[in-house]
Every structure is written in structure tokens, then in C-alpha cells.
């Protein structure tokens, strides 16, 4: 029994030592990279927790820009984007890619939506997204209405953001 206890305590000591060194390495990394650590941390969080990265600018002048990229360098794996009117649950816009290959690089994932008409289908780099809803070439957003923007990746993970124009 004492051998098992000694082995367990040695394992715990080694685990604690590894965690301490990882913490020190993280502090040194933050000190060396400074503000550049935040985007790298976002990439790591996105990779571990899943879902496409999603960030919104503050709405202004009747428009908002959704950023769905990782540092403008790693193409997101987007399998669907949807905008829903939160008041009544009506799907206003729903698009899916025509191919499974993400082809977007260098900030081509900045989607601008605005009050009034917006294009239903669009291209992100060379990747074409076709509208499922509406069947018309445009969809409209109303000023003052609260919307839910959702973006899915190829693994079915979703990120969402509410916005009001």
C-alpha cells in the first residue's frame, strides 16, 4: 500500500511542477508578445472550444460588420449563416456554401449587413454562398429591430451574436 501512496504523491508532485512551469512560460510569453497575445489566445480558444470565430463592430449608420475570420490568416470553416428576427423567430436570411472547401483568406470574411436591402447570396473569396431563405435576390433588415446572427462551422458548432441596426 505504501508503494501506491508513494507513486501517487510522486505523480502529483510532477504534475504540480509541470503546471508551475507552464504558468511561468505563459507569463513570459505574455510579457514578450504583449498585446499580440490576445488574438493568439482567441485562436487557441476557438480551436479548443469550437465554433467559427465571430466578432461584431458596433452598429453605426444603419449597418454592422460581422468579422468571421481568425486574424485574417486562417480560413474559417463556415457551413451556414443565418439571421433571425428575435421578436417573432422569423428567419430573415439563411445561406450555405456551394462547396465544402473554405477558400477565404485575408479578411474576406467581413460581412456587412445594413438597414434596407442586402444581397441574399454572396462570395467569400472564391467560395460561393447561396441563399436558402429568402428565395429572392435580396433580403431586408429594419431599423430598430433586434436580430440574431448565427454562424456554424463544418462540425456543427455555432457562434451567435445579437445586433440591432
Amino acid at each position: 500500500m505504501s508503494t501506491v501512496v508513494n507513486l501517487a504523491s510522486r505523480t502529483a508532485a510532477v504534475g504540480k511542477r509541470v503546471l508551475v512551469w507552464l504558468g511561468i512560460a505563459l507569463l513570459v510569453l505574455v510579457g514578450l508578445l504583449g498585446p499580440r497575445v490576445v488574438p493568439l489566445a482567441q485562436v487557441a480558444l476557438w480551436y479548443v472550444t469550437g465554433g467559427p470565430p465571430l466578432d461584431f463592430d458596433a452598429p453605426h449608420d444603419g449597418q454592422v460588420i460581422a468579422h468571421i475570420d481568425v486574424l485574417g490568416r486562417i480560413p474559417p470553416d463556415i457551413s451556414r449563416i443565418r439571421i433571425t428576427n428575435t421578436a417573432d423567430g422569423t428567419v430573415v436570411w439563411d445561406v450555405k456554401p456551394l462547396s465544402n472547401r473554405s477558400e477565404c483568406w485575408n479578411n474576406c470574411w467581413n460581412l456587412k449587413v445594413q438597414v434596407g436591402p442586402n444581397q441574399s447570396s454572396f462570395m467569400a473569396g472564391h467560395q460561393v454562398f447561396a441563399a436558402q431563405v429568402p428565395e429572392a435576390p435580396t433580403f431586408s433588415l429594419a431599423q430598430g429591430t433586434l436580430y440574431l446572427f448565427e454562424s456554424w462551422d463544418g462540425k456543427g458548432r455555432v457562434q451567435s451574436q445579437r445586433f440591432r441596426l
Side-chain angles (χ1 to χ4, degrees), residues 54 56 59 64 84-87 146-150 160-164:
L54 180 61
F56 267 64
V64 68
T84 306
N85 181 330
T86 60
L146 182 63
Y147 294 101
L148 175 65
F149 184 100
E150 297 171 288
S160 62
Q161 177 82 35
R162 293 179 189 274
F163 70 95
R164 185 183 316 264

Side-chain angles (χ1 to χ4, degrees), residues 85-102:
N85 181 330
T86 60
D88 60 10
T90 303
V91 174
V92 177
W93 185 52
D94 196 343
V95 294
K96 293 183 179 180
L98 295 180
S99 70
N100 291 332
R101 185 173 172 217
S102 185

Side-chain angles (χ1 to χ4, degrees), residues 18-101:
V18 167
L19 287 175
V20 167
W21 279 107
L22 284 173
I24 291 170
L26 179 63
L27 288 174
V28 168
L29 184 65
V30 169
L32 291 174
L33 295 177
R36 291 177 291 197
V37 154
V38 173
L40 294 174
Q42 287 176 329
V43 171
L45 182 65
W46 166 66
Y47 184 79
V48 171
T49 62
L54 180 61
D55 185 34
F56 267 64
D57 287 347
H60 62 89
D61 300 326
Q63 68 180 17
V64 68
I65 297 176
H67 304 281
I68 311 171
D69 61 2
V70 181
L71 303 176
R73 295 186 187 111
I74 301 170
D77 173 24
I78 304 297
S79 65
R80 182 180 193 180
I81 299 171
R82 179 171 63 197
I83 296 178
T84 306
N85 181 330
T86 60
D88 60 10
T90 303
V91 174
V92 177
W93 185 52
D94 196 343
V95 294
K96 293 183 179 180
L98 295 180
S99 70
N100 291 332
R101 185 173 172 217

